[in-house]
Amino acid sequence: MLEVKNINLKYGQSQILYDISLTAKPGEITALMGNNGAGKTSLLKAIAGRHTAFDGQITLNGQPAQFGNPHQAARAGIAYVPQGREVFAMMTVQENLETGYACLPKDQHYVPDTIFDLFPVLKDMRARRGGDLSGGQQQQLAIARALIAQPKVLLLDEPTEGIQPNVIEQIGDALRLLRTKGDMAIVLVEQNADFAYALGDTFVLISSGRFQNAAPKSRMSKTDLIGELAL
């Protein structure tokens, strides 16, 4: 379980997050939602060690886990798929995947077949450079690269942004399969309310860096979710 308690975060003198809390359980998808500028990406960066919060606590499997840098977070089991994908353009698909080895012992330095089961298109493109892939293919590569590290928590920032509908469906299917395995907590930041509602088990809404609402899917209809986002 990932638990974030009362996180406060600043960029310089500007405070971005105010006492934000979030819980993500294995075998579930927690959808973190809010309008542009709400602080969603900033919260993911705080969890992933990309920007250290000045106050609050992060625990992973019940243990304090305040990360000072991304390497520590990755070693602890946090995988972050950033908005914009950040694929290494001049490296091949295979080489991009191999960057995930950094968190693994040498006897696990291989790409498991399960990666290509999730994203079959990558198997045929292993020798192609990352920069030559379409946006949807790059997004699949970014998620696959994160999974190589065998994370306990997968953080996804806007995975459907600029992606064609058929690939959005493939990514949704992959996330559903990952959820059914029950060994990973998934935190999804998404502006596409239809996609988020179809996948989410719990919804956490923030606005202007502050907590707005949280509810399981059983207590929040899609109409309610869209209404909350409009506030």
Side-chain angles (χ1 to χ4, degrees):
M1 177 186 290
L2 170 73
E3 190 168 10
V4 176
K5 290 184 178 180
N6 304 119
I7 287 292
N8 290 274
L9 184 145
K10 288 182 177 180
Y11 291 150
Q13 298 301 310
S14 299
Q15 186 160 348
I16 305 300
L17 300 178
Y18 300 81
D19 293 319
I20 295 291
S21 297
L22 174 149
T23 298
K25 299 178 181 179
E28 293 188 4
I29 296 176
T30 301
L32 175 63
M33 305 190 70
N35 294 320
N36 288 332
K40 305 181 299 296
T41 294
S42 295
L43 180 57
L44 292 194
K45 287 183 176 181
I47 297 170
R50 287 196 172 195
H51 195 100
T52 304
F54 73 86
D55 192 24
Q57 185 179 42
I58 298 171
T59 59
L60 186 62
N61 291 334
Q63 300 299 315
Q66 197 78 22
F67 305 117
N69 58 59
H71 181 72
Q72 291 176 351
R75 286 280 188 183
I78 306 289
Y80 176 46
V81 182
Q83 186 177 17
R85 301 177 281 275
E86 296 184 9
V87 165
F88 295 106
M90 300 304 293
M91 294 168 62
T92 66
V93 166
Q94 180 70 25
E95 289 167 341
N96 268 275
L97 294 173
E98 289 173 356
T99 61
Y101 295 168
C103 299
L104 301 173
K106 286 189 177 181
D107 63 352
Q108 296 180 30
H109 286 194
Y110 60 90
V111 179
D113 290 339
T114 53
I115 294 295
F116 298 126
D117 291 339
L118 285 171
F119 303 113
V121 68
L122 299 180
K123 187 173 185 178
D124 297 329
M125 295 186 170
R126 283 177 291 184
R128 190 173 297 186
R129 293 189 305 182
D132 294 335
L133 304 184
S134 69
Q137 292 163 351
Q138 287 187 0
Q139 186 64 69
Q140 291 176 85
L141 175 56
I143 297 172
R145 179 180 58 186
L147 295 174
I148 291 290
Q150 302 173 25
K152 300 180 181 71
V153 177
L154 178 63
L155 308 175
L156 297 161
D157 195 353
E158 303 280 7
T160 70
E161 184 180 38
I163 305 300
Q164 56 268 42
N166 66 312
V167 178
I168 290 176
E169 184 176 346
Q170 292 166 16
I171 290 172
D173 289 342
L175 295 181
R176 289 184 184 93
L177 182 57
L178 291 171
R179 175 174 56 192
T180 61
K181 293 182 177 181
D183 57 359
M184 182 190 304
I186 300 173
V187 180
L188 171 68
V189 165
E190 185 54 66
Q191 291 280 7
N192 184 333
D194 290 334
F195 182 81
Y197 192 79
L199 288 172
D201 297 293
T202 300
F203 302 94
V204 177
L205 287 83
I206 62 176
S207 178
S208 300
R210 293 176 169 84
F211 175 83
Q212 182 175 331
N213 193 11
K217 193 171 192 172
S218 61
R219 291 180 18 223
M220 183 174 286
S221 68
K222 186 165 71 172
T223 301
D224 292 337
L225 176 62
I226 293 172
E228 292 270 7
L229 292 172
L231 295 177

